[in-house]
């Protein structure tokens, strides 16, 4: 398939998300549809990015300012490049509510609502996950959340991909906004709920964020 042909995104009437270098070129809030096992293209198709997994050398480290563990990149990351997927158990929102009360008492949470169309499922990275479990919040983050569909096209179950919002230097800490809000692309569309928020222990704005906590991100624009 060619970029011009649109490959799978063309079939689903969505814009092709990437340029030839694999950098995302659509705005956050629009879904990314990657090629899957039903496509005729091969592994090197430019529309297979998130499914290839992490391509950068990343490192978990202990922060020195009370934010616990964090993640930094050991390599320079180009703007709009895929960095990592937020991975965990997929649970129902009812189960997330129950677990959230426990996590609130422990003072930490890893619940990420999948509310691209409706709030039915949540990803819990507390017990099962990848390096994204350790990524800290920032009010001025260098990673942006995108909803990605590959093998599973159920809009209630997007995969959560983190892309670089700007060039990131080697040695720099990686962060995303736990309470990120993305403007609906089409104001008349009901498909975009626009509340991509890590639940609980965050900065308010989520129905399950019961307690406000001090933010230590250090950004000039800190909320």
């Amino acid at each position: 398939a060619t970029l011009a042909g649109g490959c799978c995104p063309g079939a689903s009437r969505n814009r092709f998300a990437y340029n030839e270098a694999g950098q995302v070129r659509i705005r956050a809030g629009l879904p990314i549809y990657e090629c899957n096992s039903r496509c005729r293209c091969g592994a090197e198709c430019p529309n297979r990015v998130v499914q290839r997994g992490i391509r950068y050398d990343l490192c978990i480290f202990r922060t020195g300012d009370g934010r616990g563990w964090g993640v930094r990149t050991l390599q320079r990351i180009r703007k709009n490049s895929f960095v990592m997927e937020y991975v965990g158990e997929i649970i129902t929102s009812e189960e997330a509510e129950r677990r959230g009360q426990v996590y609130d008492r422990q003072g930490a949470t890893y619940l990420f609502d999948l509310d691209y169309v409706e709030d039915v499922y949540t990803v819990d990275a507390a017990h099962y996950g990848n390096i994204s479990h350790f990524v800290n919040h920032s009010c001025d983050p260098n990673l942006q959340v995108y909803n990605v569909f590959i093998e599973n096209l159920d809009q209630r179950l997007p995969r959560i991909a983190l892309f670089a919002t700007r060039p990131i230097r080697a040695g720099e800490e990686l962060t995303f906004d736990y309470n990120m809000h993305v403007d609906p692309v089409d104001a008349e569309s009901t498909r975009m709920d626009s509340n991509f928020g890590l639940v609980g222990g965050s900065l308010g704005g989520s129905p399950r964020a019961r307690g406000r906590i001090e933010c230590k991100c250090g950004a000039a624009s800190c909320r």
Side-chain angles (χ1 to χ4, degrees):
T2 64
L3 283 173
C7 211
C8 294
S12 58
R13 298 187 303 281
N14 285 283
R15 288 184 58 195
F16 198 92
Y18 306 117
N19 64 14
E20 291 85 345
Q23 295 163 292
V24 69
R25 60 177 194 152
I26 59 175
R27 57 178 279 197
L30 283 171
I32 295 173
Y33 284 89
E34 291 198 359
C35 293
N36 56 43
S37 59
R38 293 185 292 276
C39 303
R40 295 195 186 99
C41 58
E44 295 311 306
C45 173
N47 194 40
R48 297 178 184 268
V49 174
V50 172
Q51 61 193 265
R52 291 190 195 133
I54 295 171
R55 307 297 251 197
Y56 294 102
D57 289 330
L58 309 177
C59 172
I60 299 168
F61 73 102
R62 190 78 181 174
T63 66
D65 54 6
R67 292 178 300 122
W69 298 99
V71 178
R72 62 165 61 108
T73 175
L74 301 179
Q75 295 173 269
R76 180 179 165 274
I77 298 175
R78 291 190 306 167
K79 181 179 179 179
N80 297 330
S81 296
F82 170 65
V83 180
M84 70 180 83
E85 184 176 353
Y86 194 86
V87 173
E89 291 177 87
I90 295 176
I91 59 176
T92 63
S93 293
E94 290 78 15
E95 173 66 10
E97 179 68 38
R98 190 184 68 76
R99 294 188 188 187
Q101 293 176 12
V102 176
Y103 296 158
D104 282 353
R105 291 195 292 271
Q106 296 170 348
T109 189
Y110 303 94
L111 296 172
F112 197 121
D113 278 340
L114 300 180
D115 49 11
Y116 175 63
V117 286
E118 53 183 319
D119 188 5
V120 178
Y121 297 107
T122 294
V123 172
D124 183 1
H127 306 293
Y128 303 94
N130 65 358
I131 196 170
S132 65
H133 169 106
F134 298 100
V135 176
N136 280 314
H137 163 83
S138 176
C139 297
D140 183 22
N142 52 23
L143 300 179
Q144 168 77 48
V145 172
Y146 279 82
N147 290 272
V148 183
F149 298 93
I150 307 174
E151 296 293 340
N152 186 353
L153 302 182
D154 183 341
Q155 293 191 330
R156 300 171 304 168
L157 288 166
R159 290 169 64 167
I160 301 301
L162 300 170
F163 286 79
T165 60
R166 54 176 173 77
I168 304 174
R169 301 182 309 275
E172 193 173 342
E173 183 176 0
L174 301 174
T175 56
F176 70 100
D177 188 338
Y178 285 8
N179 210 31
M180 189 173 289
H181 288 267
V182 180
D183 292 330
V185 174
D186 176 358
E188 297 176 4
S189 171
T190 59
R191 288 180 50 216
M192 191 61 234
D193 183 280
S194 86
N195 178 20
F196 299 91
L198 258 168
V199 186
S202 71
L203 310 162
S206 161
R208 292 206 291 277
R210 274 174 283 279
R212 293 176 73 84
I213 59 168
E214 179 190 2
C215 182
K216 300 177 181 176
C217 76
S221 58
C222 181
R223 298 190 296 269

